[in-house]
């Protein structure tokens, strides 16, 4: 039975798309890492709780197939703020988040240097 569970998870990992815009932060790469950890011995891995394993697979499959998105369709593809799905993807891209972090660090550094810098008069005393 463990072999069939392992093959189902592998098939799910193959089908799950990897988002290039979210390097090292996307759900597909996380899923691949967790499956590799859980099935270290491949098909020969003993499964302590088969029901939980099956439930996890079914839950991931529902996410992958957009089960609830299709079951409960939305009237509009925006949030209450008016931001579209594509805008959210752009904002959450790794490059944009890195730029924002660099901007924050830059501002913090500037403020720290401004307030902690000694005046030339203090150095001569």
């Amino acid at each position: 039975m463990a072999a069939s569970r392992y093959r189902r998870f592998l098939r799910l990992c193959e089908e799950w798309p990897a988002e290039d815009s979210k390097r090292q932060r996307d759900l597909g790469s996380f899923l691949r890492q967790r499956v590799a950890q859980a099935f270290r011995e491949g098909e020969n891995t003993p499964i302590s709780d088969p029901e939980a394993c099956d439930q996890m697979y079914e839950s991931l499959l529902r996410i992958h197939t957009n089960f609830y998105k299709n079951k409960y369709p939305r009237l509009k593809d925006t949030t209450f703020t008016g931001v579209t799905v594509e805008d959210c993807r752009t904002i959450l891209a790794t490059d944009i988040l890195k730029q924002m972090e660099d901007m924050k660090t830059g501002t913090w550094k500037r403020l720290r240097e401004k307030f902690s810098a000694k005046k030339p008069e203090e150095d001569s005393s």
Side-chain angles (χ1 to χ4, degrees):
M1 256 339 241
S4 65
R5 285 185 177 92
Y6 176 65
R7 282 188 233 116
R8 289 191 317 172
F9 273 101
L10 280 183
R11 196 173 324 114
L12 183 64
C13 287
E14 289 173 2
E15 293 174 3
W16 205 291
E19 288 192 49
D20 294 331
S21 65
K22 295 181 185 177
R23 291 181 298 275
Q24 305 299 325
R25 297 182 311 113
D26 68 311
L27 188 56
S29 63
F30 179 75
L31 176 64
R32 288 176 189 84
Q33 289 172 350
R34 290 297 304 256
V35 168
Q37 287 174 354
F39 292 96
R40 287 189 185 120
E41 299 173 27
E43 294 180 353
N44 299 325
T45 304
I47 298 175
S48 60
D49 191 0
E51 291 82 23
C53 182
D54 291 341
Q55 185 179 18
M56 180 70 70
Y57 174 77
E58 294 298 326
S59 297
L60 289 169
L61 186 64
R62 282 192 297 270
I63 292 171
H64 175 62
T65 59
N66 292 322
F67 177 80
Y68 291 106
K69 179 182 178 185
N70 297 333
K71 186 175 180 179
Y72 304 105
R74 298 175 60 138
L75 299 176
K76 297 180 181 180
D77 286 335
T78 60
T79 62
F80 73 96
T81 61
V83 178
T84 63
V85 173
E86 193 56 41
D87 292 339
C88 287
R89 282 192 181 120
T90 303
I91 291 168
L92 293 175
T94 302
D95 297 335
I96 300 297
L97 290 175
K98 185 174 181 341
Q99 287 177 2
M100 290 173 61
E101 190 63 34
D102 290 344
M103 286 174 41
K104 265 198 284 187
T105 304
T107 304
W108 176 248
K109 273 186 171 179
R110 282 194 307 263
L111 286 172
R112 190 174 63 200
E113 289 170 359
K114 181 178 179 180
F115 291 111
S116 68
K118 294 181 180 179
K119 295 180 184 174
E121 304 90 41
E122 294 175 359
D123 290 338
S124 62
S125 317

PDB file of all heavy atoms in Angstrom, residues 14-41:
ATOM      1  N   GLU A  14       4.617  15.982  -9.756  1.00  0.00           N
ATOM      2  CA  GLU A  14       4.929  16.230 -11.166  1.00  0.00           C
ATOM      3  C   GLU A  14       3.931  17.188 -11.798  1.00  0.00           C
ATOM      4  O   GLU A  14       4.293  18.028 -12.618  1.00  0.00           O
ATOM      5  CB  GLU A  14       4.930  14.913 -11.938  1.00  0.00           C
ATOM      6  CG  GLU A  14       6.102  14.023 -11.626  1.00  0.00           C
ATOM      7  CD  GLU A  14       5.975  12.654 -12.274  1.00  0.00           C
ATOM      8  OE1 GLU A  14       4.985  12.416 -13.002  1.00  0.00           O
ATOM      9  OE2 GLU A  14       6.865  11.825 -12.042  1.00  0.00           O
ATOM     10  N   GLU A  15       2.665  17.053 -11.420  1.00  0.00           N
ATOM     11  CA  GLU A  15       1.621  17.897 -12.000  1.00  0.00           C
ATOM     12  C   GLU A  15       1.600  19.298 -11.400  1.00  0.00           C
ATOM     13  O   GLU A  15       1.140  20.238 -12.043  1.00  0.00           O
ATOM     14  CB  GLU A  15       0.253  17.249 -11.791  1.00  0.00           C
ATOM     15  CG  GLU A  15       0.055  15.966 -12.555  1.00  0.00           C
ATOM     16  CD  GLU A  15      -1.258  15.297 -12.210  1.00  0.00           C
ATOM     17  OE1 GLU A  15      -2.040  15.860 -11.413  1.00  0.00           O
ATOM     18  OE2 GLU A  15      -1.506  14.195 -12.736  1.00  0.00           O
ATOM     19  N   TRP A  16       2.077  19.428 -10.173  1.00  0.00           N
ATOM     20  CA  TRP A  16       2.008  20.721  -9.487  1.00  0.00           C
ATOM     21  C   TRP A  16       2.977  21.697 -10.144  1.00  0.00           C
ATOM     22  O   TRP A  16       4.164  21.434 -10.232  1.00  0.00           O
ATOM     23  CB  TRP A  16       2.370  20.569  -8.014  1.00  0.00           C
ATOM     24  CG  TRP A  16       1.769  21.630  -7.170  1.00  0.00           C
ATOM     25  CD1 TRP A  16       2.109  22.959  -7.162  1.00  0.00           C
ATOM     26  CD2 TRP A  16       0.733  21.478  -6.214  1.00  0.00           C
ATOM     27  NE1 TRP A  16       1.337  23.642  -6.273  1.00  0.00           N
ATOM     28  CE2 TRP A  16       0.477  22.750  -5.664  1.00  0.00           C
ATOM     29  CE3 TRP A  16      -0.006  20.401  -5.771  1.00  0.00           C
ATOM     30  CZ2 TRP A  16      -0.477  22.969  -4.693  1.00  0.00           C
ATOM     31  CZ3 TRP A  16      -0.962  20.620  -4.807  1.00  0.00           C
ATOM     32  CH2 TRP A  16      -1.194  21.888  -4.282  1.00  0.00           C
ATOM     33  N   PRO A  17       2.491  22.842 -10.578  1.00  0.00           N
ATOM     34  CA  PRO A  17       3.389  23.785 -11.268  1.00  0.00           C
ATOM     35  C   PRO A  17       4.330  24.486 -10.290  1.00  0.00           C
ATOM     36  O   PRO A  17       3.988  24.736  -9.140  1.00  0.00           O
ATOM     37  CB  PRO A  17       2.418  24.791 -11.891  1.00  0.00           C
ATOM     38  CG  PRO A  17       1.218  24.749 -11.013  1.00  0.00           C
ATOM     39  CD  PRO A  17       1.128  23.329 -10.495  1.00  0.00           C
ATOM     40  N   ALA A  18       5.504  24.792 -10.780  1.00  0.00           N
ATOM     41  CA  ALA A  18       6.467  25.569  -9.994  1.00  0.00           C
ATOM     42  C   ALA A  18       6.391  27.013 -10.467  1.00  0.00           C
ATOM     43  O   ALA A  18       6.421  27.288 -11.667  1.00  0.00           O
ATOM     44  CB  ALA A  18       7.868  25.020 -10.205  1.00  0.00           C
ATOM     45  N   GLU A  19       6.256  27.934  -9.530  1.00  0.00           N
ATOM     46  CA  GLU A  19       6.169  29.350  -9.884  1.00  0.00           C
ATOM     47  C   GLU A  19       7.566  29.955  -9.885  1.00  0.00           C
ATOM     48  O   GLU A  19       8.224  30.017  -8.846  1.00  0.00           O
ATOM     49  CB  GLU A  19       5.279  30.094  -8.892  1.00  0.00           C
ATOM     50  CG  GLU A  19       3.815  29.766  -9.050  1.00  0.00           C
ATOM     51  CD  GLU A  19       2.947  30.731  -8.274  1.00  0.00           C
ATOM     52  OE1 GLU A  19       3.153  31.945  -8.408  1.00  0.00           O
ATOM     53  OE2 GLU A  19       2.101  30.250  -7.537  1.00  0.00           O
ATOM     54  N   ASP A  20       8.008  30.379 -11.041  1.00  0.00           N
ATOM     55  CA  ASP A  20       9.343  30.957 -11.158  1.00  0.00           C
ATOM     56  C   ASP A  20       9.453  32.300 -10.455  1.00  0.00           C
ATOM     57  O   ASP A  20      10.532  32.694 -10.023  1.00  0.00           O
ATOM     58  CB  ASP A  20       9.721  31.126 -12.631  1.00  0.00           C
ATOM     59  CG  ASP A  20       9.858  29.776 -13.325  1.00  0.00           C
ATOM     60  OD1 ASP A  20      10.202  28.798 -12.644  1.00  0.00           O
ATOM     61  OD2 ASP A  20       9.622  29.722 -14.547  1.00  0.00           O
ATOM     62  N   SER A  21       8.341  33.005 -10.338  1.00  0.00           N
ATOM     63  CA  SER A  21       8.384  34.326  -9.700  1.00  0.00           C
ATOM     64  C   SER A  21       8.559  34.231  -8.187  1.00  0.00           C
ATOM     65  O   SER A  21       8.922  35.202  -7.539  1.00  0.00           O
ATOM     66  CB  SER A  21       7.119  35.119 -10.022  1.00  0.00           C
ATOM     67  OG  SER A  21       5.984  34.479  -9.457  1.00  0.00           O
ATOM     68  N   LYS A  22       8.293  33.057  -7.615  1.00  0.00           N
ATOM     69  CA  LYS A  22       8.418  32.875  -6.159  1.00  0.00           C
ATOM     70  C   LYS A  22       9.491  31.832  -5.862  1.00  0.00           C
ATOM     71  O   LYS A  22       9.236  30.813  -5.240  1.00  0.00           O
ATOM     72  CB  LYS A  22       7.090  32.417  -5.567  1.00  0.00           C
ATOM     73  CG  LYS A  22       6.002  33.423  -5.673  1.00  0.00           C
ATOM     74  CD  LYS A  22       4.762  32.881  -5.033  1.00  0.00           C
ATOM     75  CE  LYS A  22       3.607  33.814  -5.220  1.00  0.00           C
ATOM     76  NZ  LYS A  22       2.383  33.258  -4.670  1.00  0.00           N
ATOM     77  N   ARG A  23      10.687  32.114  -6.295  1.00  0.00           N
ATOM     78  CA  ARG A  23      11.782  31.163  -6.087  1.00  0.00           C
ATOM     79  C   ARG A  23      11.931  30.818  -4.613  1.00  0.00           C
ATOM     80  O   ARG A  23      11.988  31.690  -3.767  1.00  0.00           O
ATOM     81  CB  ARG A  23      13.082  31.754  -6.619  1.00  0.00           C
ATOM     82  CG  ARG A  23      13.106  31.866  -8.132  1.00  0.00           C
ATOM     83  CD  ARG A  23      14.417  32.444  -8.604  1.00  0.00           C
ATOM     84  NE  ARG A  23      14.676  33.792  -8.136  1.00  0.00           N
ATOM     85  CZ  ARG A  23      14.238  34.893  -8.725  1.00  0.00           C
ATOM     86  NH1 ARG A  23      13.513  34.807  -9.812  1.00  0.00           N
ATOM     87  NH2 ARG A  23      14.530  36.080  -8.251  1.00  0.00           N
ATOM     88  N   GLN A  24      12.003  29.521  -4.343  1.00  0.00           N
ATOM     89  CA  GLN A  24      12.184  28.970  -2.997  1.00  0.00           C
ATOM     90  C   GLN A  24      11.037  29.302  -2.042  1.00  0.00           C
ATOM     91  O   GLN A  24      11.153  29.076  -0.849  1.00  0.00           O
ATOM     92  CB  GLN A  24      13.509  29.454  -2.381  1.00  0.00           C
ATOM     93  CG  GLN A  24      14.725  29.161  -3.215  1.00  0.00           C
ATOM     94  CD  GLN A  24      14.928  27.673  -3.426  1.00  0.00           C
ATOM     95  OE1 GLN A  24      14.640  26.882  -2.550  1.00  0.00           O
ATOM     96  NE2 GLN A  24      15.416  27.291  -4.588  1.00  0.00           N
ATOM     97  N   ARG A  25       9.943  29.850  -2.534  1.00  0.00           N
ATOM     98  CA  ARG A  25       8.828  30.195  -1.652  1.00  0.00           C
ATOM     99  C   ARG A  25       7.502  29.673  -2.164  1.00  0.00           C
ATOM    100  O   ARG A  25       6.466  29.973  -1.602  1.00  0.00           O
ATOM    101  CB  ARG A  25       8.701  31.715  -1.509  1.00  0.00           C
ATOM    102  CG  ARG A  25       9.861  32.386  -0.872  1.00  0.00           C
ATOM    103  CD  ARG A  25       9.647  33.890  -0.705  1.00  0.00           C
ATOM    104  NE  ARG A  25       9.191  34.537  -1.916  1.00  0.00           N
ATOM    105  CZ  ARG A  25       7.975  35.091  -2.067  1.00  0.00           C
ATOM    106  NH1 ARG A  25       7.111  35.091  -1.102  1.00  0.00           N
ATOM    107  NH2 ARG A  25       7.644  35.656  -3.206  1.00  0.00           N
ATOM    108  N   ASP A  26       7.492  28.916  -3.254  1.00  0.00           N
ATOM    109  CA  ASP A  26       6.207  28.497  -3.791  1.00  0.00           C
ATOM    110  C   ASP A  26       5.769  27.156  -3.198  1.00  0.00           C
ATOM    111  O   ASP A  26       6.581  26.377  -2.700  1.00  0.00           O
ATOM    112  CB  ASP A  26       6.228  28.444  -5.320  1.00  0.00           C
ATOM    113  CG  ASP A  26       7.107  27.344  -5.861  1.00  0.00           C
ATOM    114  OD1 ASP A  26       8.266  27.239  -5.404  1.00  0.00           O
ATOM    115  OD2 ASP A  26       6.646  26.612  -6.727  1.00  0.00           O
ATOM    116  N   LEU A  27       4.503  26.898  -3.251  1.00  0.00           N
ATOM    117  CA  LEU A  27       3.920  25.709  -2.642  1.00  0.00           C
ATOM    118  C   LEU A  27       4.393  24.438  -3.331  1.00  0.00           C
ATOM    119  O   LEU A  27       4.587  23.420  -2.680  1.00  0.00           O
ATOM    120  CB  LEU A  27       2.390  25.805  -2.673  1.00  0.00           C
ATOM    121  CG  LEU A  27       1.616  24.752  -1.918  1.00  0.00           C
ATOM    122  CD1 LEU A  27       2.034  24.707  -0.460  1.00  0.00           C
ATOM    123  CD2 LEU A  27       0.129  25.012  -2.034  1.00  0.00           C
ATOM    124  N   GLY A  28       4.612  24.483  -4.631  1.00  0.00           N
ATOM    125  CA  GLY A  28       5.074  23.308  -5.359  1.00  0.00           C
ATOM    126  C   GLY A  28       6.428  22.826  -4.881  1.00  0.00           C
ATOM    127  O   GLY A  28       6.634  21.624  -4.662  1.00  0.00           O
ATOM    128  N   SER A  29       7.373  23.718  -4.695  1.00  0.00           N
ATOM    129  CA  SER A  29       8.704  23.301  -4.228  1.00  0.00           C
ATOM    130  C   SER A  29       8.643  22.826  -2.776  1.00  0.00           C
ATOM    131  O   SER A  29       9.322  21.866  -2.405  1.00  0.00           O
ATOM    132  CB  SER A  29       9.723  24.424  -4.383  1.00  0.00           C
ATOM    133  OG  SER A  29       9.387  25.524  -3.581  1.00  0.00           O
ATOM    134  N   PHE A  30       7.819  23.463  -1.961  1.00  0.00           N
ATOM    135  CA  PHE A  30       7.644  23.022  -0.580  1.00  0.00           C
ATOM    136  C   PHE A  30       7.051  21.614  -0.536  1.00  0.00           C
ATOM    137  O   PHE A  30       7.491  20.764   0.235  1.00  0.00           O
ATOM    138  CB  PHE A  30       6.752  24.006   0.185  1.00  0.00           C
ATOM    139  CG  PHE A  30       6.501  23.599   1.603  1.00  0.00           C
ATOM    140  CD1 PHE A  30       7.481  23.747   2.567  1.00  0.00           C
ATOM    141  CD2 PHE A  30       5.280  23.064   1.971  1.00  0.00           C
ATOM    142  CE1 PHE A  30       7.263  23.360   3.880  1.00  0.00           C
ATOM    143  CE2 PHE A  30       5.040  22.676   3.281  1.00  0.00           C
ATOM    144  CZ  PHE A  30       6.039  22.830   4.234  1.00  0.00           C
ATOM    145  N   LEU A  31       6.068  21.384  -1.381  1.00  0.00           N
ATOM    146  CA  LEU A  31       5.434  20.071  -1.446  1.00  0.00           C
ATOM    147  C   LEU A  31       6.448  19.004  -1.856  1.00  0.00           C
ATOM    148  O   LEU A  31       6.497  17.925  -1.259  1.00  0.00           O
ATOM    149  CB  LEU A  31       4.267  20.105  -2.433  1.00  0.00           C
ATOM    150  CG  LEU A  31       3.553  18.795  -2.698  1.00  0.00           C
ATOM    151  CD1 LEU A  31       2.893  18.287  -1.434  1.00  0.00           C
ATOM    152  CD2 LEU A  31       2.526  18.977  -3.792  1.00  0.00           C
ATOM    153  N   ARG A  32       7.276  19.301  -2.836  1.00  0.00           N
ATOM    154  CA  ARG A  32       8.294  18.339  -3.275  1.00  0.00           C
ATOM    155  C   ARG A  32       9.272  18.011  -2.148  1.00  0.00           C
ATOM    156  O   ARG A  32       9.660  16.858  -1.957  1.00  0.00           O
ATOM    157  CB  ARG A  32       9.046  18.888  -4.481  1.00  0.00           C
ATOM    158  CG  ARG A  32       8.199  18.893  -5.740  1.00  0.00           C
ATOM    159  CD  ARG A  32       8.927  19.540  -6.918  1.00  0.00           C
ATOM    160  NE  ARG A  32       8.046  19.716  -8.039  1.00  0.00           N
ATOM    161  CZ  ARG A  32       7.216  20.736  -8.208  1.00  0.00           C
ATOM    162  NH1 ARG A  32       7.168  21.706  -7.316  1.00  0.00           N
ATOM    163  NH2 ARG A  32       6.444  20.815  -9.268  1.00  0.00           N
ATOM    164  N   GLN A  33       9.664  19.019  -1.386  1.00  0.00           N
ATOM    165  CA  GLN A  33      10.585  18.799  -0.271  1.00  0.00           C
ATOM    166  C   GLN A  33       9.937  17.917   0.798  1.00  0.00           C
ATOM    167  O   GLN A  33      10.565  17.000   1.338  1.00  0.00           O
ATOM    168  CB  GLN A  33      11.003  20.126   0.361  1.00  0.00           C
ATOM    169  CG  GLN A  33      11.914  20.948  -0.496  1.00  0.00           C
ATOM    170  CD  GLN A  33      12.146  22.329   0.098  1.00  0.00           C
ATOM    171  OE1 GLN A  33      11.486  22.732   1.052  1.00  0.00           O
ATOM    172  NE2 GLN A  33      13.082  23.072  -0.483  1.00  0.00           N
ATOM    173  N   ARG A  34       8.695  18.196   1.124  1.00  0.00           N
ATOM    174  CA  ARG A  34       8.010  17.422   2.168  1.00  0.00           C
ATOM    175  C   ARG A  34       7.769  15.981   1.749  1.00  0.00           C
ATOM    176  O   ARG A  34       7.887  15.069   2.560  1.00  0.00           O
ATOM    177  CB  ARG A  34       6.671  18.090   2.529  1.00  0.00           C
ATOM    178  CG  ARG A  34       6.801  19.397   3.267  1.00  0.00           C
ATOM    179  CD  ARG A  34       7.483  19.222   4.613  1.00  0.00           C
ATOM    180  NE  ARG A  34       6.809  18.261   5.448  1.00  0.00           N
ATOM    181  CZ  ARG A  34       6.036  18.550   6.475  1.00  0.00           C
ATOM    182  NH1 ARG A  34       5.858  19.792   6.834  1.00  0.00           N
ATOM    183  NH2 ARG A  34       5.430  17.591   7.163  1.00  0.00           N
ATOM    184  N   VAL A  35       7.443  15.758   0.476  1.00  0.00           N
ATOM    185  CA  VAL A  35       7.253  14.383  -0.002  1.00  0.00           C
ATOM    186  C   VAL A  35       8.583  13.636   0.058  1.00  0.00           C
ATOM    187  O   VAL A  35       8.633  12.471   0.467  1.00  0.00           O
ATOM    188  CB  VAL A  35       6.657  14.373  -1.429  1.00  0.00           C
ATOM    189  CG1 VAL A  35       6.731  12.994  -2.050  1.00  0.00           C
ATOM    190  CG2 VAL A  35       5.214  14.859  -1.398  1.00  0.00           C
ATOM    191  N   ALA A  36       9.665  14.305  -0.311  1.00  0.00           N
ATOM    192  CA  ALA A  36      10.989  13.666  -0.244  1.00  0.00           C
ATOM    193  C   ALA A  36      11.347  13.311   1.198  1.00  0.00           C
ATOM    194  O   ALA A  36      11.934  12.257   1.462  1.00  0.00           O
ATOM    195  CB  ALA A  36      12.043  14.588  -0.847  1.00  0.00           C
ATOM    196  N   GLN A  37      10.991  14.178   2.146  1.00  0.00           N
ATOM    197  CA  GLN A  37      11.265  13.896   3.557  1.00  0.00           C
ATOM    198  C   GLN A  37      10.382  12.756   4.076  1.00  0.00           C
ATOM    199  O   GLN A  37      10.845  11.887   4.811  1.00  0.00           O
ATOM    200  CB  GLN A  37      11.010  15.136   4.415  1.00  0.00           C
ATOM    201  CG  GLN A  37      12.028  16.215   4.271  1.00  0.00           C
ATOM    202  CD  GLN A  37      11.610  17.469   5.040  1.00  0.00           C
ATOM    203  OE1 GLN A  37      10.517  17.547   5.587  1.00  0.00           O
ATOM    204  NE2 GLN A  37      12.498  18.456   5.063  1.00  0.00           N
ATOM    205  N   ALA A  38       9.114  12.787   3.721  1.00  0.00           N
ATOM    206  CA  ALA A  38       8.170  11.798   4.237  1.00  0.00           C
ATOM    207  C   ALA A  38       8.430  10.403   3.664  1.00  0.00           C
ATOM    208  O   ALA A  38       8.251   9.404   4.356  1.00  0.00           O
ATOM    209  CB  ALA A  38       6.739  12.229   3.937  1.00  0.00           C
ATOM    210  N   PHE A  39       8.845  10.344   2.404  1.00  0.00           N
ATOM    211  CA  PHE A  39       9.094   9.060   1.747  1.00  0.00           C
ATOM    212  C   PHE A  39      10.597   8.912   1.476  1.00  0.00           C
ATOM    213  O   PHE A  39      11.020   8.777   0.338  1.00  0.00           O
ATOM    214  CB  PHE A  39       8.307   8.961   0.436  1.00  0.00           C
ATOM    215  CG  PHE A  39       6.821   8.889   0.632  1.00  0.00           C
ATOM    216  CD1 PHE A  39       6.032  10.030   0.541  1.00  0.00           C
ATOM    217  CD2 PHE A  39       6.195   7.683   0.891  1.00  0.00           C
ATOM    218  CE1 PHE A  39       4.657   9.963   0.706  1.00  0.00           C
ATOM    219  CE2 PHE A  39       4.821   7.602   1.063  1.00  0.00           C
ATOM    220  CZ  PHE A  39       4.050   8.748   0.974  1.00  0.00           C
ATOM    221  N   ARG A  40      11.381   8.933   2.533  1.00  0.00           N
ATOM    222  CA  ARG A  40      12.840   8.838   2.391  1.00  0.00           C
ATOM    223  C   ARG A  40      13.273   7.532   1.729  1.00  0.00           C
ATOM    224  O   ARG A  40      14.249   7.490   1.001  1.00  0.00           O
ATOM    225  CB  ARG A  40      13.510   8.961   3.752  1.00  0.00           C
ATOM    226  CG  ARG A  40      13.468  10.347   4.298  1.00  0.00           C
ATOM    227  CD  ARG A  40      14.332  10.474   5.547  1.00  0.00           C
ATOM    228  NE  ARG A  40      14.143  11.806   6.098  1.00  0.00           N
ATOM    229  CZ  ARG A  40      13.679  12.044   7.310  1.00  0.00           C
ATOM    230  NH1 ARG A  40      13.386  11.052   8.111  1.00  0.00           N
ATOM    231  NH2 ARG A  40      13.527  13.280   7.731  1.00  0.00           N
ATOM    232  N   GLU A  41      12.559   6.468   2.009  1.00  0.00           N
ATOM    233  CA  GLU A  41      12.918   5.155   1.469  1.00  0.00           C
ATOM    234  C   GLU A  41      12.126   4.823   0.209  1.00  0.00           C
ATOM    235  O   GLU A  41      12.086   3.671  -0.223  1.00  0.00           O
ATOM    236  CB  GLU A  41      12.683   4.089   2.532  1.00  0.00           C
ATOM    237  CG  GLU A  41      13.519   4.289   3.779  1.00  0.00           C
ATOM    238  CD  GLU A  41      13.149   3.314   4.878  1.00  0.00           C
ATOM    239  OE1 GLU A  41      12.661   2.209   4.556  1.00  0.00           O
ATOM    240  OE2 GLU A  41      13.350   3.658   6.049  1.00  0.00           O
TER     241      GLU A  41
END
